[in-house]
Amino acid sequence: MVKRVIALLTDFGVEEHYNGVMKGVILKINRNALILDLVASAKSFSIMDAAFQLWASYKYFPYETIFLVVVDPGVGTDRQPLVIKTKNYFFVGPDNGVLYPAAYEDGIESVVKITSEKVILKNRNGTFDGRDVFAPAAAYLSKGMPIEALGQYTEIKEKYVFPEPIINKYSIKATVLHVDKFGDVVLNLKKEHINDTSKKFIIKDKNVQIKATFAECVGLCMVFGSSGFYELALNQGSASDLLKIKTGDEIEIEIV
């Protein structure tokens, strides 16, 4: 019997009924579904934040996991509702770029626009495709329904990629991809972007050094994080609050 995990990533939060209703729809179709919350409180409306969290997470899940992603500021528009089959996984969600970095990295094999009347709930509301379109699609996939039975083959329109930093001899212009609950600030900087980790940096008049762990930070520091990007951190404090920066912000890093 086919038994695929469904991992749910939304910006609905835990105070509202939306995540619970989506789980209810899934269980009504597949009572034996195995559902877990990957992220329940992604930054509201932020494609960048959700795309980053999905990309940073998907590869640690069992093969054939279905990632059900509803961060969908364009709900009700003509953006496509998608199911993407990759080499190892399935991704279900809106065609707004949120699925693309993870799906592309794993290797996209086929893409379907969800149109099947059997799948989409009757009396689709237009404001809650997480319930009416994406949750039932994930549920039928979890029962082993082939991707082509969910709709018609299509192509991805929104191919979002993480921004590249702008680097010169004396400065780096970086983008904040994500801020976690501890206030650690994930930048779009990989190891290849910083050749000399012994150098010092200045951000908003504050000295920053690269350290190996959060525990080594004295004041503001930069740590190569678990996601494969450098993070600004403050030992047992919030680097985001200290620097007054948030997801999507660009910051100037002076190299000294």
Side-chain angles (χ1 to χ4, degrees), residues 4-43:
R4 294 168 175 155
V5 175
I6 299 174
L8 186 59
L9 191 163
T10 79
D11 59 354
F12 294 147
V14 296
E15 299 85 4
E16 305 292 344
H17 65 282
Y18 306 120
N19 277 356
V21 168
M22 288 173 61
K23 293 174 185 177
V25 168
I26 293 167
L27 291 169
K28 198 169 184 179
I29 295 167
N30 181 6
R31 188 176 292 272
N32 296 313
L34 178 58
I35 313 166
L36 62 85
D37 289 304
L38 173 56
V39 181
S41 299
K43 183 175 175 59

Side-chain angles (χ1 to χ4, degrees), residues 80-86 90 95 108-116 141 145-157:
Q80 300 183 106
L82 297 181
V83 177
I84 304 172
K85 183 181 185 301
T86 65
F90 296 91
D95 185 2
I108 295 170
E109 294 186 346
S110 54
V111 184
V112 162
K113 179 180 179 180
I114 305 166
T115 58
S116 171
L141 274 176
M145 179 179 279
I147 184 174
E148 60 269 18
L150 298 169
Q152 60 195 42
Y153 286 109
T154 187
E155 293 185 0
I156 299 171
K157 293 181 180 179

Side-chain angles (χ1 to χ4, degrees), residues 13-252:
V14 296
E15 299 85 4
E16 305 292 344
H17 65 282
Y18 306 120
N19 277 356
V21 168
M22 288 173 61
K23 293 174 185 177
V25 168
I26 293 167
L27 291 169
K28 198 169 184 179
I29 295 167
N30 181 6
R31 188 176 292 272
N32 296 313
L34 178 58
I35 313 166
L36 62 85
D37 289 304
L38 173 56
V39 181
S41 299
K43 183 175 175 59
S44 298
F45 318 120
S46 175
I47 305 304
M48 177 186 290
D49 181 75
F52 167 77
Q53 295 204 69
L54 178 63
W55 173 86
S57 306
Y58 81 90
K59 60 184 73 70
Y60 299 101
F61 281 74
Y63 291 157
E64 296 202 337
T65 292
I66 301 159
F67 292 95
L68 173 52
V69 182
V70 189
V71 176
D72 192 15
V75 63
T77 68
D78 61 357
R79 61 93 186 91
Q80 300 183 106
L82 297 181
V83 177
I84 304 172
K85 183 181 185 301
T86 65
K87 181 180 178 182
N88 298 302
Y89 300 101
F90 296 91
F91 298 87
V92 180
D95 185 2
N96 60 11
V98 69
L99 306 175
Y100 188 75
Y104 176 79
E105 182 178 75
D106 195 56
I108 295 170
E109 294 186 346
S110 54
V111 184
V112 162
K113 179 180 179 180
I114 305 166
T115 58
S116 171
E117 292 183 1
K118 179 181 178 181
V119 173
I120 297 173
L121 296 191
K122 292 179 174 59
N123 301 317
R124 176 182 178 185
N125 175 264
T127 66
F128 194 3
D129 278 356
R131 177 193 67 193
D132 299 340
V133 182
F134 300 126
Y140 282 112
L141 274 176
S142 73
K143 293 180 72 173
M145 179 179 279
I147 184 174
E148 60 269 18
L150 298 169
Q152 60 195 42
Y153 286 109
T154 187
E155 293 185 0
I156 299 171
K157 293 181 180 179
E158 296 297 328
K159 298 180 179 180
Y160 175 77
V161 295
F162 300 125
E164 286 290 321
I166 299 172
I167 301 172
N168 60 47
K169 186 176 180 180
Y170 300 107
S171 69
I172 300 171
K173 181 177 284 187
T175 301
V176 178
L177 299 180
H178 174 66
V179 177
D180 70 16
K181 72 176 292 292
F182 302 104
D184 300 326
V185 177
V186 181
L187 303 175
N188 61 333
L189 296 177
K190 297 183 177 180
K191 279 193 171 180
E192 60 263 30
H193 294 135
I194 298 179
N195 296 322
D196 186 353
T197 58
S198 66
K199 286 188 174 181
K200 294 182 180 180
F201 305 89
I202 296 175
I203 301 175
K204 293 190 175 183
D205 299 322
K206 293 176 174 58
N207 293 320
V208 181
Q209 287 185 300
I210 293 178
K211 298 294 183 180
T213 67
F214 297 119
E216 295 177 38
C217 292
V218 178
L220 190 66
C221 73
M222 193 151 48
V223 174
F224 188 70
S226 61
S227 64
F229 288 98
Y230 278 103
E231 303 178 14
L232 296 172
L234 190 65
N235 189 5
Q236 299 187 42
S238 171
S240 173
D241 289 347
L242 178 69
L243 296 170
K244 295 180 172 55
I245 53 178
K246 62 186 184 304
T247 302
D249 284 352
E250 291 186 345
I251 61 170
E252 196 78 25

